Amino acid sequence: MREIPFAKIDHIKVGHAQNLEAGTGCTVVLCEKGAAAGVDVRGSAPGTRETDLLNPIHLVEHVHAVLLTGGSAFGLDAASGVMRYLEEKNIGLDVGVGKVPIVPAAVLFDLNLGDPGVRPDMRMGYEACRNASKDNTEEGTVGAGTGATVGKLYGPSFAMKGGLGMYALQAGPLQVGALVAVNCLGDVVDPETGKTVAGLYDFREGKFLSTEAEIINGASNPHLLNGNTTIGVVATNAKLTKGQAAKIAQMAHDGFARTIRPVHTMYDGDTIFAMATGEAEADIHAVGVLAVKCVERAVVRAVKKARSLHGFVSFGDLEKKSGNDS
């Protein structure tokens, strides 16, 4: 088993577009030949598009892209740009009088960072597609992770910068990877070390607080619990049915549970899509186990690769400050 770039998965391309001044952006995962896909929504405040058609009992068998975007529900407009791009390339479900690109999408809430009046739109979604390539390795404060923040129980003065992370593995011919935009209410913990790497931070005391412990002890701040949601895509070259892809999306949420504490809250819209490009024979359990591992590492990479933006301090800058203080 070896690590590979996420965008090197067979028939997958990744593209980002963002507005750093406004603090928002979007990310597209393209599969122009079509991919079997599934979805699993675990958070209780989701913003999604075209998720019902991923139900295994429904007609459409393949998607042509998945969009992850900031902008809350406004950001769903960016999917129209992805559709336009694919339509121009004559890619989509053949309906006789033309082809309709199938583009599921999920949003995260980043309106509390930068300019809330600027959100991903058709133009930005189209730009993300034009930027898509198999060589894209950009992580951190890019694409859907541009306006992402974490650890928001006590509002922005205790929160840190989130971001976008990618990680993929290859075992023989099987390729599995995850791309995740981390914008959670909770804290991000590296399961390899057990240490919190980003989250609820007391900057006056210079230490992390535990969001879980604070909630257990009765803390709440309902006026500020609207800026969350972690969204992601698991991509694989395995041959899967829609039903099997849905199972992979379900299993992949274990990666969220191992790294985000707490996760799947009433104030998060946590959603994972799974895309299977159909190149390799594989056991579904092997795909699922690898998906969990990739989601874990993608979540941690998302916050470690992030850059500070609009007053939200990144993991890297906090590490530098802690080093200087010591």
Side-chain angles (χ1 to χ4, degrees), residues 66-152:
V66 170
L67 175 75
L68 306 181
T69 179
S72 189
F74 295 108
L76 291 172
D77 186 35
S80 297
V82 180
M83 290 189 69
R84 177 184 171 190
Y85 174 86
L86 291 168
E87 183 184 27
E88 288 177 356
K89 299 189 71 173
N90 197 35
I91 293 169
L93 175 68
D94 192 340
V95 293
V97 295
K99 292 185 178 179
V100 179
I102 307 300
V103 184
V107 304
L108 55 80
F109 188 105
D110 58 6
L111 303 180
N112 52 353
L113 183 148
D115 184 348
V118 177
R119 310 106 180 191
D121 55 12
M122 177 185 283
R123 180 185 300 181
M124 188 178 283
Y126 189 90
E127 181 185 352
C129 292
R130 292 190 63 182
N131 292 338
S133 76
K134 294 198 69 63
D135 298 316
N136 194 324
T137 58
E138 291 182 282
E139 296 175 276
T141 306
V142 297
T146 300
T149 52
V150 301
K152 289 163 281 191

Side-chain angles (χ1 to χ4, degrees), residues 7 12 44 47 62 82 96 151 172-173 184 188 190 216 262 267 302 305:
I12 291 294
S44 293
H62 297 96
V82 180
C184 53
V188 176
D190 186 339
I216 290 169
Y267 304 104
K305 296 288 185 178

Side-chain angles (χ1 to χ4, degrees), residues 201-215:
Y201 194 81
D202 188 332
F203 288 91
R204 288 180 297 180
E205 297 293 328
K207 64 179 182 180
F208 282 107
L209 305 176
S210 166
T211 298
E212 289 185 326
E214 296 295 311
I215 290 174

Side-chain angles (χ1 to χ4, degrees), residues 7-320:
K8 295 296 185 183
I9 293 172
D10 292 340
H11 303 294
I12 291 294
K13 295 179 182 178
V14 175
H16 307 302
Q18 57 276 324
N19 182 327
L20 292 175
E21 184 177 348
T24 194
C26 63
T27 296
V28 65
V29 180
L30 291 176
C31 183
E32 296 175 359
K33 86 174 193 70
V39 66
D40 195 331
V41 180
R42 295 288 177 94
S44 293
T48 57
R49 176 186 186 276
E50 298 279 46
T51 51
D52 281 353
L53 64 77
L54 298 180
N55 188 315
I57 69 172
H58 292 167
L59 174 67
V60 174
E61 290 292 331
H62 297 96
V63 305
H64 305 97
V66 170
L67 175 75
L68 306 181
T69 179
S72 189
F74 295 108
L76 291 172
D77 186 35
S80 297
V82 180
M83 290 189 69
R84 177 184 171 190
Y85 174 86
L86 291 168
E87 183 184 27
E88 288 177 356
K89 299 189 71 173
N90 197 35
I91 293 169
L93 175 68
D94 192 340
V95 293
V97 295
K99 292 185 178 179
V100 179
I102 307 300
V103 184
V107 304
L108 55 80
F109 188 105
D110 58 6
L111 303 180
N112 52 353
L113 183 148
D115 184 348
V118 177
R119 310 106 180 191
D121 55 12
M122 177 185 283
R123 180 185 300 181
M124 188 178 283
Y126 189 90
E127 181 185 352
C129 292
R130 292 190 63 182
N131 292 338
S133 76
K134 294 198 69 63
D135 298 316
N136 194 324
T137 58
E138 291 182 282
E139 296 175 276
T141 306
V142 297
T146 300
T149 52
V150 301
K152 289 163 281 191
L153 182 67
Y154 291 144
S157 61
F158 285 78
M160 287 180 61
K161 189 70 184 71
L164 183 138
M166 297 186 285
Y167 190 80
L169 293 167
Q170 181 157 349
L174 175 62
Q175 301 168 329
V176 182
L179 180 154
V180 180
V182 180
N183 186 59
C184 53
L185 167 67
D187 310 315
V188 176
V189 176
D190 186 339
E192 292 188 354
T193 65
K195 294 183 178 179
T196 301
V197 291
L200 189 66
Y201 194 81
D202 188 332
F203 288 91
R204 288 180 297 180
E205 297 293 328
K207 64 179 182 180
F208 282 107
L209 305 176
S210 166
T211 298
E212 289 185 326
E214 296 295 311
I215 290 174
I216 290 169
N217 291 329
S220 86
N221 198 338
H223 299 295
L224 293 165
L225 294 179
N226 59 355
N228 311 302
T229 295
T230 298
I231 50 181
V233 177
V234 169
T236 177
N237 69 343
K239 294 180 180 179
L240 300 178
T241 64
K242 280 177 67 178
Q244 289 173 325
K247 183 62 181 179
I248 296 304
Q250 182 188 77
M251 293 177 71
H253 273 279
D254 286 356
F256 282 1
R258 294 178 186 180
T259 53
I260 301 171
R261 304 179 187 178
V263 71
H264 305 144
T265 75
M266 293 297 293
Y267 304 104
D268 290 283
D270 305 321
T271 300
I272 295 180
F273 296 95
M275 303 172 71
T277 66
E279 297 298 315
E281 297 287 350
D283 177 76
I284 187 173
H285 302 97
V287 178
V289 169
L290 288 172
V292 174
K293 290 181 178 294
C294 290
V295 169
E296 283 183 16
R297 298 321 306 163
V299 169
V300 174
R301 289 177 68 90
V303 295
K304 285 192 170 183
K305 296 288 185 178
R307 292 178 287 121
S308 299
L309 188 67
H310 293 298
F312 288 89
V313 177
S314 68
F315 165 85
D317 285 343
L318 186 65
E319 287 280 283
K320 291 176 185 176

